[in-house]
Amino acid sequence: MLDVHRLRVFRSVVASGSVQAAAANLGYTPSAISQHLTALQRETGLTLLARAGRGLRPTAAGHALAAEADRVLARVGAAESLIADLRTGRTGALSIAYFASVGAAWMPLVVRRILTELPGVRLDLQLREHIPDSREERADVQVVVAGGGFDPGSGFTAHHLLDDPYVAVVPAGHRLADRQETDLADLADERWIDNDVARGWCRTNLLEACTAAGFSPAFRVEAHDYRTALAFVAAGIGLTVLPALGAADVPDGVACVRLVRPTPTRSVHVVVHDAVEHTPAARMAVAALRDAAHPAHAR
C-alpha cells in the first residue's frame, strides 16, 4: 500500500523541481526528502524522477503518478477537513455544483440561507455544466438539466425542481416585441444568435422543438454564453432563444416573448449524494433550492 506522506513529498518535488526546494518548502532536510523518494520508487517498482541539470524532472510514469496523487491527496484533504469539523463541532462541509444560469438566479439566495441557518458549514461551490463520469469527482449536491427518465446513477437521488420553458429574446422594436407569446414557427426566418457553445442537452432540446415546428434555425452568430448573446440582441443583431432562467436579468433594449406550439422546456433537478442526503447541510440546500425555484411557495 502506498504511503500518503511519501506521495505528498513526491508531489512537492515534482512541483518545485528539486530535492532542495521541496525540503525548504516542507521544512525537511534534503536527505529526508531523498529517503522518501527512494522508498516510494522501491514501493512502486518505477523510476519516477530523472536528473535534469541541477534539478529533477518526472518521467512518464512520474507524470502519471503525480496526476493521480493530486486526486488522492484532494480526497485525503477532504477527509481531514471532515475530521477537523467533527472534532470542533462544526456542521461540516458541503460541495454544491450548478450550471451558469442557476448560479446567477438562485445560488446567492441558496448560499445566504445555508450560511444564515448553519453558520458553521463550509461550502465548496463549483460551476459545472455536466455530471462527471467519476463518482469521486461528483459534488455532494448538483443542480442539473435532464430529460425524461433521468437516472442520476447508483448512490445518488434526483429531486425535480421545476420545468423551465424557453423564451425568445428580441430587440426592442422587433415585430414580436409587443407580443406576450408567439408560435415557435414564427421565428423560422429570423436571424438567430446561438448561445450554447457546449452543444449540450439544452441546445439539442431546442433544435428538436424547431424540427417539430417544421424548420431548422439559421444561426448567424455563435456566442459562448447567455450574457453575450443577450448583448448581441440588445445591439439589434438578431434574436436568441433560451430558457426563462437564463433571461432572468436581461439588458435594456430587449423583450422576452413566450414560445408556444411547441414550447421547448428543460427539466431542472437537484441530485444529492446518498451519503450526505440526511445531513443538515444537504437538507437545507435542497430546501433552499426548492424555494428558489418556486419563490411564491417559499416559507
Side-chain angles (χ1 to χ4, degrees):
M1 181 178 293
L2 290 178
D3 186 294
V4 173
H5 181 62
R6 288 172 185 158
L7 281 180
R8 284 198 176 101
V9 171
F10 167 68
R11 195 64 189 86
S12 178
V13 173
V14 172
S16 58
S18 74
V19 167
Q20 288 74 15
N25 292 336
L26 296 176
Y28 294 162
T29 64
S31 62
I33 297 293
S34 296
Q35 289 172 15
H36 282 302
L37 293 177
T38 299
L40 180 62
Q41 293 189 115
R42 184 173 59 249
E43 285 177 348
T44 60
L46 298 169
T47 300
L48 302 173
L49 297 161
R51 289 289 177 187
R54 295 184 178 181
L56 294 172
R57 61 173 176 78
T59 62
H63 276 297
L65 181 59
E68 186 62 30
D70 285 340
R71 290 187 282 270
V72 171
L73 294 175
R75 298 300 297 174
V76 170
E80 290 174 342
S81 295
L82 174 61
I83 292 170
D85 287 337
L86 294 174
R87 282 176 175 169
T88 57
R90 289 195 294 267
T91 306
L94 186 75
S95 58
I96 306 176
Y98 56 91
F99 53 90
S101 52
V102 160
W106 295 354
M107 291 311 297
L109 299 175
V110 170
V111 169
R112 183 176 65 184
R113 178 165 168 190
I114 294 173
L115 294 183
T116 298
E117 301 198 24
L118 299 171
V121 74
R122 293 183 297 105
L123 294 180
D124 174 18
L125 303 182
Q126 307 164 9
L127 181 61
R128 183 175 287 172
E129 298 291 334
H130 304 287
I131 298 177
D133 293 331
S134 169
R135 289 170 54 91
E136 289 73 21
E137 295 179 8
R138 293 179 64 168
D140 297 324
V141 175
Q142 182 169 0
V143 186
V144 302
V145 172
F150 170 56
D151 180 5
S154 176
F156 296 85
T157 301
H159 305 273
H160 178 262
L161 292 176
L162 88 166
D163 293 323
D164 189 20
Y166 290 52
V167 297
V169 184
V170 301
H174 188 276
R175 63 183 180 86
L176 300 175
D178 294 330
R179 293 192 188 181
Q180 294 295 312
E181 63 181 38
T182 189
D183 287 1
L184 183 58
D186 287 343
L187 310 181
D189 297 326
E190 295 287 339
R191 182 188 293 121
W192 283 57
I193 299 169
D194 197 1
N195 54 53
D196 187 359
V197 70
R199 301 291 191 268
W201 189 89
C202 291
R203 187 177 192 271
T204 299
N205 186 40
L206 172 60
L207 295 180
E208 289 180 351
C210 291
T211 299
F215 74 99
S216 180
F219 292 109
R220 301 297 180 85
V221 177
E222 292 194 3
H224 290 192
D225 56 79
Y226 292 163
R227 184 179 296 275
T228 303
L230 291 171
F232 288 153
V233 174
I237 295 171
L239 64 77
T240 195
V241 175
L242 71 170
L245 269 176
D249 184 19
V250 298
D252 294 335
V254 304
C256 295
V257 184
R258 292 195 303 270
L259 295 173
V260 295
R261 289 179 291 274
T263 301
T265 302
R266 67 178 183 179
S267 291
V268 180
H269 305 257
V270 56
V271 177
V272 185
H273 197 304
D274 290 348
V276 303
E277 185 171 20
H278 299 296
T279 64
R283 291 201 305 268
M284 181 61 62
V286 172
L289 284 165
R290 289 190 186 280
D291 288 346
H294 302 281
H297 301 109
R299 53 178 184 157

